[in-house]
Amino acid sequence: MCGIVGYVGDKNAQDFLVSGLKRLEYRGYDSAGVATFDESGKATLVKTKGKIADLESKLARERREDKAGIGHTRWATHGEPSEVNAHPHQVGDIYLVHNGIIENYKELKDQLKGYEFKSETDSEVLAALIDSFYKNGEYPLTNAVVQALKLVKGTYGIAVMSDKNPDEIVVARAGSPLVIGVGHGETLIASDASALLGHTKQAIYLNDGEIATVSKNSVEIKTLNAEPVSAKVEEIETNLAAIQKDGYEHFLLKEIMEQPESLKETLRGRVNTRDWMVHLGGPGLTEGELRKVKHLVIVGCGTAYHAGLLAAYYIEQFTPEITVEVVIASEYRYRQAYIPRDSVALIVSQSGETADTLACLREIKKQGVPTIGIVNAIGSTIAREVDGGTYVHVGPEISVASTKAFTSQAVAMVMFGLTIAQAKGVRSGILRPYISEIAKLPEEIKRVLDEFNEPMQEMAQKYKDYDHAIYLGRDTAYPTAMEGALKLKEISYIDANAYAFGELKHGPLALVDDRFFEFALLPEGELYDKAVSNVQEVLARGGHVIAVTNKKEFDLPVEDVVKITTSIELMAPILMNLIAQLFAYYIAVGKGYDVDQPRNLAKSVTVE
Ligand code: AGP
């Protein structure tokens, strides 16, 4: 999604704006721009289609020592990626950057008589609307912004400046994140705290419906109804090292390889192998409330959804009389779904800002259902709006493709299920195997990554030129196959889809020919033989099968086999997913694609 930065202080604004936008590059974008102002209000507006490097080349010819400004990276929603559609948008004395969607922008545009619009964007309409209330400085900028926002339907995170008031930035949010960095003699604005690192660790997270007027030494927050809001300054919980590549070529490989450590952070203080119990403090549900839970709703998008699907299989295995429903947020938010009594909703999101997931959270809360966040980004909107939660603590996940978050989200949800089972008095003999395997997972993950990193790099060369792929699994290996297919499609653009093995004969088997390869997950267990039969059906039709298994005796005549030796049985799919992550990564690298910022995608989908 779009990135927003702003600066007002004693240092060079252009320098902070560009460095801040670089920190937000991972979110995905197609154009960028900055506007800075000198003390007299003289504005310098520089925009470009393309990357921040292109913006820097243009800025080299427009170097200014201005001390205030705003900047933006745009992920196109209304209007193609272009310089004219790039932000900041200037209308009259108003300069604006915007993240979100103004749903009634056409109606507002029609009412703005006398304005000539240069772009196709909804954001420019918002800038004109503010200008129409600002009336060349007749009204304070903040008041003009408030009047305009009261007419807006949709989502926004905005930063607004005027050349008549160049040492002030007005920021406001409804649905798109904004954080205010409090420095010494400077105030910084960003849509993600990572842009503030190295400048300040003190941050104020703006909430929906709030508007802030910031200058270099002051931050004044109100609601749109002019009620004062006391600014809560929080410590930014991440650090610069966590958002650097540490010698890896891509963030994606770094984040795949750091899963032993990131999972350890997820488990820290939560898994006790002395009493074989799981202790999750965050959900905030009492033993009695946990004991009464009869229905779980797990909500997420993309990888978060897949993590929920995987966790659901495990929770059903060890928790009696509980139903688990896993839903895609963008569908669920519009269904007329009734959530039965004695339900709990798990809201799963790495970024904590996904618009559809946030909307589901708000809908579910209206039904009075307790909501528990399974979130990574500290202080994110979802994390602040759920009733309780379990941060997965994997550190910033920069690459658009989610990897370490998936592993930790799935395990965190299994641990939440275990806390319910413990409260319901499920025998420790049933729970202990899961807890024991969870405790061993970080070491096992490290072993698998160390053993298969190079072999998967080699294997990827054989398959990188295929255009189609089928991922297959049964039971817990099925959501794992779905996640593997998503990884491949989102970074290599190969048309990869996952099917339950048992579904092959109901249609997908017709696809099998030389255009496809099949990535088959075969964990040991009671369904292993059935999966073997399914692979034989594929082989009989000339399929090009890659088998991933922990079965020592595996001996089918497949093209490639990845045999994982591990003491992990129940949670073997978590290890098999690592193979799929490495495979997708090296195929995308082999194809020469932008692995960390794949085309058309954004790290945090803060628009519907
Ligand atoms: C996964 O690799 C993708 N980046 C995407 O599917 C992502 O999982 C989805 O957009 C949900 O994001 P969230 O976890 O931040 O809510």
Side-chain angles (χ1 to χ4, degrees), residues 276 428-438 440 570-571:
W276 296 108
S428 65
I430 292 176
L431 304 183
R432 181 166 171 170
Y434 293 92
I435 297 171
S436 166
E437 289 206 0
I438 287 173
K440 283 191 291 188
L570 296 160
M571 309 199 84

Side-chain angles (χ1 to χ4, degrees), residues 39 45 48 156 158 164 216-217 253 312 330 387 516 593:
E39 280 93 30
L45 175 59
T48 186
Y156 57 81
I158 56 171
K164 292 209 164 24
K216 73 178 190 176
N217 290 313
L253 185 58
S330 56
D387 300 311
F516 285 75
Y593 291 160

Side-chain angles (χ1 to χ4, degrees), residues 301-304 348-352 354 400-402 409 486-487 490 605:
C301 301
T303 287
V348 195
S349 176
Q350 188 287 129
S351 64
T354 298
V400 165
S402 184
Q409 284 167 340
L486 174 61
K487 239 25 61 187
E490 69 176 326
V605 184

Side-chain angles (χ1 to χ4, degrees), residues 547-575:
V548 182
T549 183
N550 56 342
K551 185 82 174 177
K552 292 181 196 60
E553 302 75 23
F554 182 87
D555 60 1
L556 287 181
V558 296
E559 278 181 31
D560 280 284
V561 59
V562 178
K563 202 172 277 188
I564 300 171
T565 309
T566 175
S567 58
I568 299 283
E569 290 172 13
L570 296 160
M571 309 199 84
I574 293 277
L575 302 179

